[in-house]
Amino acid sequence: GENVEQHPSTLSVQEGDSAVIKCTYSDSASNYFPWYKQELGKRPQLIIDIRSNVGEKKDQRIAVTLNKTAKHFSLHITETQPEDSAVYFCAASNNQAGTALIFGKGTTLSVSS
Amino acid sequence: EPEVTQTPSHQVTQMGQEVILRCVPISNHLYFYWYRQILGQKVEFLVSFYNNEISEKSEIFDDQFSVERPDGSNFTLKIRSTKLEDSAMYFCASSVLLRDTQYFGPGTRLTVL
């Protein structure tokens, strides 16, 4: 089955810096890659997603890139703010074969001002 | 904006007891999911449900677990005989269609003593 590895497990940046979180997946058939943000004690919330037919997607300060050949995808946050502090989870899914999102272990991002 | 809701927010039970966790998916969504997150670990897929049937289930979802849509709005997860290792946050999620974004509820924290 699918396995998703996520790095780093913790990331500390200064306000205004960029943050990059990387994930690799094992199943070459996976075709949907969402990123969720989870603040302490709250639900995971989708912040951006990408499908396998595109290589990059951007939404204001957040971007995701996908390299299908290498089977990895990354989250890029620019101009970080303290409110970006949270746990970020990547996930992968093969929508053609199933419904499950397979999550990475999460990255705790701390943005200090 | 419509949200997935879950009750109760926290459930404490004795080992061996049955628990039922309740979810109200977003009203026009057709796919429903349960995930769990053991404290400090990744979110893990349990089961997906569509058209009153299980679509997919993980190895975690053994005979102790069952799901049901008892009426037009609720979606429940039953654990027949709880074990200590069932202690976790249980998230319900829903999506409009198979390949759409999954929206998560706020979770139910289950504590098995």
Side-chain angles (χ1 to χ4, degrees), chain A residues 5-107:
Chain A
E5 299 289 338
Q6 183 172 348
H7 299 279
S9 55
T10 59
L11 180 58
S12 296
V13 299
Q14 290 287 321
E15 184 177 2
D17 287 350
S18 294
V20 180
I21 303 169
K22 298 181 180 180
C23 289
T24 60
Y25 59 99
S26 60
D27 186 354
S28 56
S30 288
N31 55 12
Y32 175 61
F33 307 93
W35 286 88
Y36 284 84
K37 175 183 179 182
Q38 186 179 30
E39 295 176 36
L40 192 63
K42 296 194 175 179
R43 72 186 78 197
Q45 292 205 297
L46 181 80
I47 54 170
I48 196 166
D49 58 11
I50 192 167
R51 298 185 189 270
S52 59
N53 57 343
V54 298
E56 184 174 356
K57 185 175 177 182
K58 213 171 180 180
D59 183 3
Q60 299 182 334
R61 296 187 296 110
I62 294 172
V64 56
T65 57
L66 171 65
N67 183 327
K68 285 188 293 182
T69 305
K71 290 189 284 188
H72 68 70
F73 57 112
S74 301
L75 177 71
H76 304 253
I77 306 174
T78 58
E79 299 170 31
T80 53
Q81 300 164 3
E83 50 266 38
D84 293 329
S85 297
V87 180
Y88 291 80
F89 291 95
C90 63
S93 173
N94 180 354
N95 287 157
Q96 302 297 332
T99 53
L101 290 178
I102 306 302
F103 283 84
K105 287 189 175 180
T107 296

Side-chain angles (χ1 to χ4, degrees), chain A residues 4 32 36 38 42-44 46 49 51 89 95-96 98-101 103-105, chain B residues 3-4 31 33 35 37 42-43 45 48 56 91 98-102 104-106:
Chain A
V4 177
Y32 175 61
Y36 284 84
Q38 186 179 30
K42 296 194 175 179
R43 72 186 78 197
L46 181 80
D49 58 11
R51 298 185 189 270
F89 291 95
N95 287 157
Q96 302 297 332
T99 53
L101 290 178
F103 283 84
K105 287 189 175 180
Chain B
E3 288 186 331
V4 177
Y31 281 84
Y33 314 83
Y35 291 83
Q37 185 179 31
K42 67 166 80 175
V43 177
F45 171 76
S48 61
E56 188 180 2
F91 290 104
L98 173 61
R99 296 177 180 78
D100 282 344
T101 299
Q102 294 183 23
F104 282 73

